[in-house]
C-alpha cells in the first residue's frame, strides 16, 4: 500500500536539514508521497529505510529495460490509465516478427524490410525498434540459434518467443549481451525459464491461457525472487486479449496490485492472422490499450506512418505542444530563387500548411521560426509572432541563403504586413489566404500570373 506524506515524514532521519540544504521536511515528504520527487533526493535516509520507502513509493508499474547501449528501451513505469490524467511515460515499442518456420529468403526479406523503415518526424526518429523471433514447435535448437544470430546482426533488440529450454539456452548464448527479452515462461515451465533468464541477466516474458493463470505464474516468479518481468497478454481471441490488457493495467494502476505491475506484450500479428487491415487496426488499439510492445507481422511505411503518428500524439506531454525545428524547408524542388512562405512551429500548423503547399506543386521555401509551439493567432497574441521576430529571423537565417525577396505571411496576421516591410527593406510582403486549404489555388494563380 502506498505511504502518506506523514508516514514518510515519521521515517525520515532528520526533521530539520537547513544546515546541509537537504530537502528532508514535511513538504518534501508530501511530494514524495504524490510521486513528484524521488526519495533518493535526500541523502540522510539509511539504506534500510531507503529500500523500504523506495518500494513503497515506487510507481505501481515497474520500469523494465531491455536492449543494450543505444538500443536500450524502457518499458512501463506508468502511473495513470489515461493520457489526459497526467501523461504517459514510456512509449509503445513496435517489433517486426520473424519465425523459424520461414525459409532463409523470407527471414532475410523480413529483416531487410524492418530496417528500411527509418525516418524522422518532428524531431523524433521513427523506425522498427525490435525483432520478435518466434521458435516454432519442433524447431531444432541449433537452427533457432542461427536465426537469432541473423536477427541480432540487424542491431535491433530481440524478443525471443521460445518455450523450449534447450532452444532458449542456445539462443541466449549468441545474443544475451544485447539484453533481449526471453518471452518463454508459462505455468508449466516458469521455474526453469526463470533460472535461464536470471543466469543470462535478461528480462523474462510471462504468458498464460487466462488472466488468472497469468496472475498465479507472475506471483510464483516474484515469490522465487524474479521481478524482472514483462507480461504477454496475448490470448486466443481479440476479445480475450483486449480484456487481459485492460485488466492487467487496471489492476496495477487502480487497485495498486503490484503483481500485475509490469509492462505488457501484445502480438497483433497472431491475432490478425494475415489480415493486414485488421492488424493495423489492432496495432492502433493496443498502442492505446495498453501494449508496451506491439508485435507486427511486418513493418513497412504503410503500417508505420499512421502508427508512429498516433504514438507520437499519445505519448507527447499534453502540456507541451509538439514543435517543428526552426529553419528553411524547401518544398516541390525549391531552390534559393523560390518564393518564401512563413508560419509558426506548431506541428499541426506545419503539417497542414506543408501538405497544401506540396499539393500545389509550386516550388517554395517554407520558413519556420520559433513561436513557442503555438498556433498562428495564439503566438501573435502572446507576442511570439511579431514583425520583429519575423524580420529578425529572416535577416539572420534566410537572407544569407535565399535570393528571392518575396515573403508570404499567414492571412490571419495580415496586420503585420506593413511593419514587416518596414523592417525588411527590399522585401515584398504578400498576405496569404486565411485558411491553409486555399493555398493551392492562391499559389497556382500567382504562378500563372507571373508573380512568383
Amino acid at each position: 500500500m502506498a505511504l502518506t506524506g506523514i508516514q514518510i515524514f515519521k521515517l525520515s532521519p532528520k526533521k530539520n536539514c537547513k544546515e546541509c540544504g537537504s530537502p528532508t521536511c514535511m513538504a518534501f515528504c508530501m511530494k514524495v508521497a504524490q510521486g513528484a520527487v524521488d526519495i533518493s533526493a535526500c541523502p540522510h535516509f539509511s539504506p534500510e529505510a531507503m529500500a523500504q520507502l523506495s518500494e513503497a513509493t515506487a510507481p505501481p508499474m515497474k520500469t523494465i529495460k531491455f536492449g543494450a547501449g543505444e538500443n536500450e528501451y524502457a518499458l512501463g513505469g506508468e502511473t495513470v490509465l489515461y493520457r489526459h490524467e497526467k501523461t504517459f511515460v514510456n512509449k509503445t515499442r513496435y517489433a517486426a516478427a520473424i519465425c523459424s518456420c520461414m525459409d532463409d529468403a523470407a527471414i532475410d526479406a523480413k529483416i531487410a524490410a524492418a530496417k528500411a523503415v527509418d525516418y524522422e518526424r518532428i524531431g523524433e526518429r521513427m523506425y522498427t525498434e525490435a525483432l520478435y523471433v518466434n521458435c516454432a514447435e519442433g524447431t531444432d535448437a541449433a537452427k533457432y540459434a542461427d536465426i537469432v544470430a541473423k536477427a541480432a546482426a540487424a542491431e535491433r533488440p530481440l524478443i525471443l518467443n521460445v518455450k523450449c529450454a534447450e532452444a532458449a539456452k542456445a539462443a541466449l548464448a549468441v545474443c544475451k549481451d544485447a539484453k533481449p527479452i526471453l518471452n518463454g515462461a508459462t505455468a508449466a515451465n516458469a521455474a526453469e525459464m526463470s533460472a535461464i533468464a536470471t543466469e543470462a541477466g535478461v528480462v523474462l516474458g510471462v504468458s498464460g491461457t487466462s488472466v488468472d493463470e497469468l496472475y498465479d505464474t507472475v506471483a510464483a516468479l516474484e515469490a522465487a525472487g524474479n521481478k524482472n518481468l514483462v507480461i504477454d497478454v496475448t490470448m486466443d481471441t481479440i476479445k480475450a486479449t483486449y480484456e487481459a490488457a485492460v485488466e492487467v493495467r487496471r489492476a496495477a494502476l487502480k487497485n495498486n496490485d503490484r503483481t500485475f505491475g509490469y509492462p505488457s506484450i501484445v502480438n497483433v500479428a497472431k491475432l490478425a492472422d494475415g489480415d493486414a487491415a485488421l492488424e493495423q487496426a489492432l496495432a492502433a488499439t493496443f498502442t492505446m490499450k495498453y501494449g508496451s510492445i506491439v508485435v507486427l507481422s511486418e513493418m513497412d511505411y504503410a503500417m508505420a506512418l499512421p502508427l508512429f503518428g498516433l504514438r507520437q500524439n499519445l505519448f507527447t506531454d499534453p502540456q507541451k505542444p509538439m514543435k517543428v525545428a526552426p529553419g528553411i524547408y524547401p518544398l516541390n524542388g525549391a531552390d534559393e530563387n523560390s518564393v518564401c512562405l512563413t508560419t509558426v512551429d506548431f506541428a499541426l500548423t506545419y503539417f497542414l500548411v506543408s501538405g497544401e503547399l506540396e499539393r500545389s506543386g509550386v516550388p517554395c521555401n517554407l520558413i519556420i521560426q520559433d513561436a513557442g509551439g503555438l498556433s498562428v493567432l495564439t503566438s501573435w497574441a502572446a507576442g511570439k509572432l511579431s514583425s520583429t521576430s519575423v524580420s529578425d529571423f529572416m535577416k539572420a537565417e534566410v537572407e544569407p541563403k535565399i535570393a528571392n525577396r518575396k515573403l508570404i505571411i499567414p492571412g490571419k496576421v495580415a496586420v503585420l504586413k506593413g511593419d514587416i516591410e518596414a523592417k525588411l527593406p527590399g522585401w515584398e510582403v504578400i498576405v496569404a489566404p486565411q485558411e491553409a486549404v486555399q493555398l493551392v489555388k492562391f499559389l497556382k494563380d500567382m504562378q500563372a500570373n507571373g508573380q512568383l
Side-chain angles (χ1 to χ4, degrees):
M1 181 178 291
L3 298 180
T4 66
I6 293 176
Q7 289 172 316
I8 296 171
F9 182 67
K10 288 179 179 179
L11 293 173
S12 64
K14 292 189 176 185
K15 303 300 186 282
N16 187 343
C17 293
K18 291 181 180 178
E19 68 275 9
C20 70
S22 171
T24 303
C25 60
M26 178 59 80
F28 171 74
C29 294
M30 294 298 290
K31 288 182 179 179
V32 171
Q34 295 165 3
V37 297
D38 192 271
I39 191 69
S40 61
C42 173
H44 297 297
F45 284 98
S46 67
E48 295 78 14
M50 185 73 75
Q52 178 186 351
L53 290 170
S54 294
E55 178 72 20
T57 59
M61 175 177 288
K62 287 177 66 69
T63 298
I64 300 295
K65 295 183 178 180
F66 80 110
E70 294 181 354
N71 292 320
E72 182 183 69
Y73 303 126
L75 307 172
E78 305 298 344
T79 59
V80 294
L81 278 175
Y82 307 106
R83 173 179 179 263
H84 64 264
E85 293 181 274
K86 188 176 181 182
T87 186
F88 288 150
V89 179
N90 292 308
K91 67 184 70 171
T92 299
R93 301 294 178 175
Y94 298 116
I98 58 178
C99 182
S100 61
C101 60
M102 300 175 178
D103 59 33
D104 290 342
I107 291 173
D108 290 342
K110 287 270 190 178
I111 294 174
K115 292 178 67 176
V117 175
D118 194 339
Y119 63 97
E120 186 173 307
R121 181 180 188 268
I122 318 179
E124 180 183 337
R125 183 186 174 200
M126 298 181 169
Y127 62 108
T128 310
E129 292 143 327
L131 292 173
Y132 179 94
V133 189
N134 181 55
C135 182
E137 188 175 349
T139 300
D140 178 72
K143 177 184 177 182
Y144 183 64
D146 289 341
I147 295 171
V148 169
K150 182 180 291 188
E155 298 182 340
R156 299 287 193 274
L158 302 181
I159 302 157
L160 309 177
N161 189 57
V162 51
K163 305 298 187 290
C164 170
E166 183 182 354
K169 291 176 182 178
L172 287 171
V174 300
C175 72
K176 67 179 180 180
D177 290 342
K179 300 300 178 186
I181 293 174
L182 176 58
N183 190 38
T186 64
N189 67 2
E192 185 177 22
M193 281 295 181
S194 181
I196 294 171
T198 301
E199 182 180 357
V202 301
V203 178
L204 179 65
V206 187
S207 59
T209 58
S210 67
V211 172
D212 289 340
E213 184 178 296
L214 269 177
Y215 189 91
D216 292 342
T217 305
V218 173
L221 288 167
E222 287 188 323
N226 191 349
K227 295 186 178 182
N228 193 23
L229 308 172
V230 296
I231 300 175
D232 190 336
V233 298
T234 312
M235 300 293 170
D236 291 333
T237 66
I238 295 171
K239 180 177 182 290
T241 301
Y242 184 86
E243 290 174 346
V246 173
E247 190 169 344
V248 165
R249 182 65 61 95
R250 288 188 65 87
L253 299 190
K254 291 300 182 184
N255 301 333
N256 203 35
D257 189 335
R258 293 176 184 261
T259 301
F260 267 163
Y262 294 97
S264 58
I265 297 175
V266 185
N267 189 344
V268 301
K270 174 184 174 182
L271 295 174
D273 193 25
D275 187 329
L278 177 60
E279 183 174 338
Q280 190 162 55
L282 290 174
T285 298
F286 286 106
T287 297
M288 297 182 286
K289 300 283 186 183
Y290 292 99
S292 301
I293 297 175
V294 171
V295 180
L296 306 162
S297 60
E298 61 182 346
M299 179 65 85
D300 56 19
Y301 279 102
M303 180 73 76
L305 290 171
L307 273 185
F308 284 130
L310 170 67
R311 185 183 74 175
Q312 190 172 51
N313 288 336
L314 190 64
F315 286 87
T316 299
D317 188 336
Q319 297 181 354
K320 296 179 181 178
M322 290 186 291
K323 301 193 296 183
V324 177
I328 303 172
Y329 293 80
L331 302 174
N332 303 325
D335 57 23
E336 63 177 8
N337 297 309
S338 302
V339 68
C340 298
L341 298 94
T342 188
T343 191
V344 293
D345 58 349
F346 180 40
L348 179 58
T349 299
Y350 167 80
F351 283 112
L352 285 172
V353 172
S354 64
E356 296 301 327
L357 295 180
E358 289 177 344
R359 196 161 67 89
S360 75
V362 176
C364 54
N365 293 300
L366 181 56
I367 311 300
I368 301 295
Q369 67 171 78
D370 184 0
L374 304 175
S375 64
V376 171
L377 284 178
T378 307
S379 59
W380 171 69
K384 294 183 178 294
L385 177 61
S386 65
S387 59
T388 300
S389 67
V390 172
S391 59
D392 287 348
F393 188 82
M394 297 296 292
K395 288 176 181 178
E397 302 295 335
V398 180
E399 285 189 348
K401 303 171 185 176
I402 302 296
N404 190 293
R405 288 296 181 261
K406 289 185 178 181
L407 174 65
I408 301 175
I409 64 173
K412 292 184 184 296
V413 289
V415 67
L416 298 179
K417 179 180 185 301
D419 286 344
I420 294 175
E421 284 182 326
K423 294 175 181 178
L424 282 179
W427 283 82
E428 178 186 353
V429 178
I430 303 167
V431 177
Q434 296 228 349
E435 302 298 333
V437 71
Q438 298 172 311
L439 284 171
V440 175
K441 182 177 186 304
F442 176 77
L443 288 176
K444 286 187 174 181
D445 287 347
M446 289 187 67
Q447 188 179 53
N449 295 331
Q451 295 175 281
L452 297 181

